């Protein structure tokens, strides 16, 4: 393997030495070894799909954050930081922390007490099979498509950065993931996500440390950015959000607060099963509540290794990076800022660590996708609609096969994306269609016992269709951008935020209207599923240092301080 | 970490990873001490040596603290 990789690396962004290749090879050997070791523990359905529900709050919390900390996420947001400045940090702060705290304090008790295996599983209990099937089928399809598209995107990055053959990257990384997830199920996925967490931090943390030494600290960095890009403000998070045209993102503060913070982030962090599954693996309800809150502290710190390298790129890189769409020979795109910074400060050994962190992030993301797909397919599609009441072992076998089938479907999607590059934008947009309305459906179901089964289904469908309609109209005719995103200056990310906001509002309005004209479910059917009818263990006798609420408030306080510092 | 299963804690595997990587990076840093790579900025700070050393020490601590042979 080393020989193949080494021979492929000719004229590329970075060149790997023998020690770098040994570091990468050791990672592959270790994750495969862990997968085979954990196979003996993944015997029952609960073991395979929920890691035995025995993870501590720390392990579940780190896996929860890592499932979202993929390499494309790192590369993409570092690129966004170069393009938009510190505005990109909002996706790690207001676009994550309140939602994570909300998941831990408000929503987790319902997921955990209902003993559901998945988010569609909760919808099955709360709204019945129609809403659950709609959610499960869309999630399963989108997860596989996303996994394949990410796989292709990562293979392209590996080709650009390292010169690796695209087919080689796709097959070696996919088969490794397939083997270890099929063997150990969620146990394997979570173990490797925790490893990835450490790898990413230790692989990327040197860039901001050395970058700040080179620029003479934060003030020196800001001065250099102003010198390189006169008249542009890249280092204030809120002060440029008063008007759409005052910042490069074409964003208004209402889009960040309501579209991102109140809807899209809430939708993603509280209803996307890929991340929620990690918390469901916690050993008890207190751990389940603490896991996302522990994760929120680390999430808040991620801009240090993602956003700051992008800003440092603005300050120290001798060339100006450009959008990928207008890339000319000899130029570099925004998304290459992190590898460029890695190559700037890291020699042999450290370079291998950084590249391994990227590979690990990609593989952990894929493992998350296929393990979530296997769970939703087995428990929310196969068991209720195709084969009820089979022995537990049958469903474990189905989960193992699904892992491999999901993997090969992802590989197929990757090759599809290779043939039709524009499919990538559409798949990512498709995923966004379902998240915001799903949040409205799940939240109303948890907080309002009056919501009927029909209301849950029709609200979810209406919200999703409204999202698709807005997306299509804005793509076909730019005049619609002024209508939905409130300004013709709104760029892609700003359009996404308002699209999420209006689709969630549509979902809520339709759900409420249908509820008012349909019959509610009897209270006895809703015990453990809605706020008014659920006994959640009280924490009066617990020391405040052990209370999730205390740490949730602490996380929000730190978030507030960060906003003031970088205002 | 586990109550139902006697699984080696994930922290032990983290320790092994950091230990091996720390050793490799530290060693490569020492090997290039007198002739650091010309294309790397701030190579005079010898980052691989202290970063590799840090990883090695952390890995060692994790391996010892979470060793499968050591019962909590």
């Amino acid at each position: 393997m080393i020989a193949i990789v080494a021979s492929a690396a000719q004229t590329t962004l970075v060149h790997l030495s023998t020690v770098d290749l040994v570091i990468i090879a050791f990672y592959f050997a270790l994750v495969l070894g862990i997968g085979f070791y954990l196979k003996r523990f993944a015997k029952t359905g609960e073991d395979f799909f929920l890691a035995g529900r025995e993870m501590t709050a720390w392990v579940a919390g780190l896996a929860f954050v890592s499932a979202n900390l993929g390499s494309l996420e790192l590369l993409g947001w570092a690129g966004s930081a170069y393009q938009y400045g510190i505005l990109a940090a909002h996706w790690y702060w207001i676009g994550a922390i309140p939602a994570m705290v909300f998941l831990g304090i408000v929503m987790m008790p319902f997921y955990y007490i209902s003993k559901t295996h998945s988010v569609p599983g909760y919808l099955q209990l709360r709204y019945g099979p129609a809403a659950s099937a709609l959610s499960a089928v869309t999630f399963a399809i989108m997860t596989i498509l996303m996994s394949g598209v990410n796989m292709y995107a990562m293979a392209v990055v590996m080709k650009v950065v390292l010169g690796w053959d695209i087919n080689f990257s796709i097959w070696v990384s996919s088969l490794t993931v397939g083997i270890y997830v099929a063997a150990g199920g969620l146990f394997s996925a979570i173990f490797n996500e925790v490893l990835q967490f450490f790898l990413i931090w230790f692989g990327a943390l040197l860039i901001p440390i050395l970058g700040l030494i080179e620029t003479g600290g934060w003030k020196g960095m800001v001065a250099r950015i102003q010198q390189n890009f006169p008249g542009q403000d890249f280092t204030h998070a809120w002060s440029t959000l008063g008007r759409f045209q005052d910042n490069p993102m074409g964003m208004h503060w209402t889009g960040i607060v309501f579209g991102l913070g109140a809807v899209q982030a809430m939708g993603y962090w509280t209803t996307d099963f890929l991340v929620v599954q990690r918390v469901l693996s916690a050993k008890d309800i207190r751990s389940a509540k603490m896991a996302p809150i522990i994760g929120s502290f680390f999430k808040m710190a991620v801009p240090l290794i993602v956003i700051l390298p992008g800003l440092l790129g603005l300050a120290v890189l001798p060339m100006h990076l450009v959008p990928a769409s207008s890339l000319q020979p000899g130029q570099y795109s925004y998304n290459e800022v992190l590898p460029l910074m890695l190559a700037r400060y890291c020699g042999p050994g450290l370079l291998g660590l950084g590249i391994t962190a990227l590979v690990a992030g990609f593989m952990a993301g894929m493992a998350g996708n296929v393990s979530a797909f296997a769970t939703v397919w087995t428990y929310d599609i196969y068991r209720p609609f195709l084969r009820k009441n089979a022995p537990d072992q049958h469903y474990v076998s189905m989960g193992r096969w699904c892992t491999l089938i999901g993997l090969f479907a992802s590989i197929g999607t990757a090759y599809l994306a290779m043939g039709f590059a524009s499919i990538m934008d559409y798949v990512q947009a498709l995923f966004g269609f379902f998240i915001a309305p799903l949040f409205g459906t799940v939240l109303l179901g948890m907080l309002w016992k009056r919501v009927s089964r029909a209301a849950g289904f029709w609200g979810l469908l209406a919200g999703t269709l409204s999202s698709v309609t807005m997306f299509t109209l804005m793509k076909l005719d730019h005049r619609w951008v002024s209508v939905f995103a409130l300004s013709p200056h709104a760029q892609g990310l700003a359009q996404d935020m308002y699209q999420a906001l209006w689709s969630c509002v549509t979902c809520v309005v339709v759900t409420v209207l249908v509820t008012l004209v349909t019959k509610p479910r009897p209270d006895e059917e809703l015990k453990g599923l809605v706020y008014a009818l659920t006994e959640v263990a009280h924490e009066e006798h617990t020391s405040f240092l052990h209370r999730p609420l205390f740490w949730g408030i602490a996380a929000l306080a730190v978030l507030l301080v960060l906003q003031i510092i970088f205002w | 970490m586990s109550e139902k299963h006697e699984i080696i804690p994930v922290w032990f595997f983290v320790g092994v990873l950091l230990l091996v990587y720390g050793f490799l990076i530290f060693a490569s840093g020492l090997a290039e001490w007198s002739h650091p790579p010309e294309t790397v900025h701030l190579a005079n700070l010898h980052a691989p040596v202290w970063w590799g050393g840090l990883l090695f020490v952390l890995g060692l601590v994790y391996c010892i603290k979470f060793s499968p042979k050591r019962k909590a």
Side-chain angles (χ1 to χ4, degrees), chain A residues 23 26-27 30 37 41 46-47 52 54 59 62 187 191 198-199 202 206 210 344-345 348 350 353 356, chain B residues 1-5 7-8 11 13-14 17 20-21 24-25 28 32 40-42 48 50-51 55 58:
Chain A
I23 284 174
F26 180 75
Y27 175 74
L30 186 67
Y37 166 70
F41 302 108
E46 190 161 277
D47 292 338
E54 54 185 302
V59 174
L62 293 192
F187 273 125
F191 266 52
F198 282 85
L199 268 174
F202 284 111
L206 259 185
L210 294 173
R344 184 178 181 86
Y345 296 121
L350 288 175
L353 181 64
T356 306
Chain B
M1 181 182 76
S2 168
E3 287 167 3
K4 286 185 254 178
H5 299 112
I7 302 179
I8 298 173
W11 312 116
F13 295 110
V14 170
L17 190 80
V20 172
Y21 282 2
L24 290 170
I25 292 167
S28 70
E32 66 181 29
V40 175
H41 286 66
L42 303 179
W50 50 267
W51 199 246
L55 260 60
L58 273 176

Side-chain angles (χ1 to χ4, degrees), chain A residues 215-336:
Chain A
T215 57
W218 175 265
K219 283 184 180 173
M221 181 194 78
V222 173
R224 283 208 198 188
I225 293 175
Q226 285 170 349
Q227 190 182 341
N228 292 345
F229 300 87
Q232 297 185 58
D233 189 340
F234 286 99
T235 50
H236 289 95
W238 290 98
S239 60
T240 61
L241 289 174
R243 295 192 308 162
F244 285 92
Q245 58 269 40
D246 285 352
N247 59 80
M249 200 178 270
M251 183 67 85
H252 189 258
W253 68 268
T254 54
I256 293 288
V257 173
F258 299 111
L260 174 64
V263 174
Q264 201 177 56
M266 287 287 178
Y268 176 74
W269 288 102
T270 66
T271 62
D272 187 328
F273 181 55
L274 176 63
V275 287
V276 173
Q277 187 181 24
R278 273 70 198 144
V279 188
L280 286 174
S281 71
K283 63 179 181 176
D284 54 37
I285 190 161
R286 201 186 77 82
S287 301
K289 289 170 81 174
M290 276 303 291
I293 294 168
I294 290 171
S296 72
F297 284 95
F298 289 105
K299 184 73 180 175
M300 253 186 290
V302 171
L304 191 63
I305 54 169
V306 177
I307 305 301
L308 191 48
L311 295 175
L312 286 162
L314 288 166
V316 301
L317 288 178
M319 74 295 272
H320 283 197
L321 310 187
V322 297
S325 54
S326 57
L327 201 60
Q328 299 294 321
Q331 290 184 318
Y332 297 101
S333 74
Y334 296 140
N335 289 344
E336 284 161 23

Side-chain angles (χ1 to χ4, degrees), chain A residues 141-475:
Chain A
I141 295 171
M142 289 304 112
T143 302
I144 290 304
L145 289 178
M146 278 295 284
S147 176
V149 163
N150 286 344
M151 190 187 292
Y152 171 64
M154 191 61 210
V156 170
V157 170
M158 287 300 157
K159 182 171 176 56
V160 172
V161 176
L162 299 169
W164 289 1
D165 178 65
I166 285 184
N167 297 304
F168 172 84
S169 295
I170 288 176
W171 284 96
V172 170
S173 53
S174 304
L175 290 177
T176 307
V177 169
I179 291 168
Y180 80 68
V181 176
L186 192 62
F187 273 125
S188 280
I190 286 181
F191 266 52
N192 285 296
E193 279 157 8
V194 174
L195 283 184
Q196 171 224 349
F197 177 86
F198 282 85
L199 268 174
I200 283 184
W201 271 96
F202 284 111
L205 191 58
L206 259 185
I207 296 174
I209 292 173
L210 294 173
L212 287 176
I213 290 174
E214 184 179 353
T215 57
W218 175 265
K219 283 184 180 173
M221 181 194 78
V222 173
R224 283 208 198 188
I225 293 175
Q226 285 170 349
Q227 190 182 341
N228 292 345
F229 300 87
Q232 297 185 58
D233 189 340
F234 286 99
T235 50
H236 289 95
W238 290 98
S239 60
T240 61
L241 289 174
R243 295 192 308 162
F244 285 92
Q245 58 269 40
D246 285 352
N247 59 80
M249 200 178 270
M251 183 67 85
H252 189 258
W253 68 268
T254 54
I256 293 288
V257 173
F258 299 111
L260 174 64
V263 174
Q264 201 177 56
M266 287 287 178
Y268 176 74
W269 288 102
T270 66
T271 62
D272 187 328
F273 181 55
L274 176 63
V275 287
V276 173
Q277 187 181 24
R278 273 70 198 144
V279 188
L280 286 174
S281 71
K283 63 179 181 176
D284 54 37
I285 190 161
R286 201 186 77 82
S287 301
K289 289 170 81 174
M290 276 303 291
I293 294 168
I294 290 171
S296 72
F297 284 95
F298 289 105
K299 184 73 180 175
M300 253 186 290
V302 171
L304 191 63
I305 54 169
V306 177
I307 305 301
L308 191 48
L311 295 175
L312 286 162
L314 288 166
V316 301
L317 288 178
M319 74 295 272
H320 283 197
L321 310 187
V322 297
S325 54
S326 57
L327 201 60
Q328 299 294 321
Q331 290 184 318
Y332 297 101
S333 74
Y334 296 140
N335 289 344
E336 284 161 23
V337 66
L338 200 60
L340 281 168
M341 296 297 284
L342 198 64
R344 184 178 181 86
Y345 296 121
C346 298
L350 288 175
L351 199 56
L353 181 64
I355 296 299
T356 306
L358 292 180
V359 173
F362 163 63
M363 286 169 53
M366 200 198 311
N369 278 317
V370 293
S371 59
F373 166 78
T375 308
V376 167
W377 166 264
T378 306
Y379 277 122
D380 299 307
I381 299 173
Y382 182 74
R383 187 166 72 172
F385 299 109
L386 298 173
R387 188 164 175 193
K388 291 178 183 171
N389 306 321
D392 188 53
Q393 274 308 310
H394 176 78
Y395 295 122
V396 175
S397 298
M398 176 54 65
R400 287 207 159 98
W401 280 110
C402 274
T403 302
L404 296 174
I405 291 167
L407 199 85
F408 284 110
S410 298
I411 292 173
T413 307
Y415 280 101
L416 197 66
M418 200 185 293
F420 306 95
S422 60
I423 199 174
M424 296 178 66
D425 296 334
Y426 290 104
V427 167
Q428 293 190 7
L430 277 173
F431 201 71
F433 293 156
F434 305 104
I435 286 296
L438 183 59
F439 171 62
T441 303
V442 172
L443 189 67
L444 278 176
M446 285 179 173
L447 300 183
W448 192 22
K449 67 176 184 173
R450 175 77 175 77
V451 183
S452 64
R453 287 183 169 204
F457 172 74
W458 289 110
L460 184 58
L461 188 62
T464 304
L465 291 177
S466 72
S467 191
V468 175
T469 306
M470 281 184 276
F471 175 81
T472 310
L473 289 174
M474 285 194 284
K475 286 288 173 202

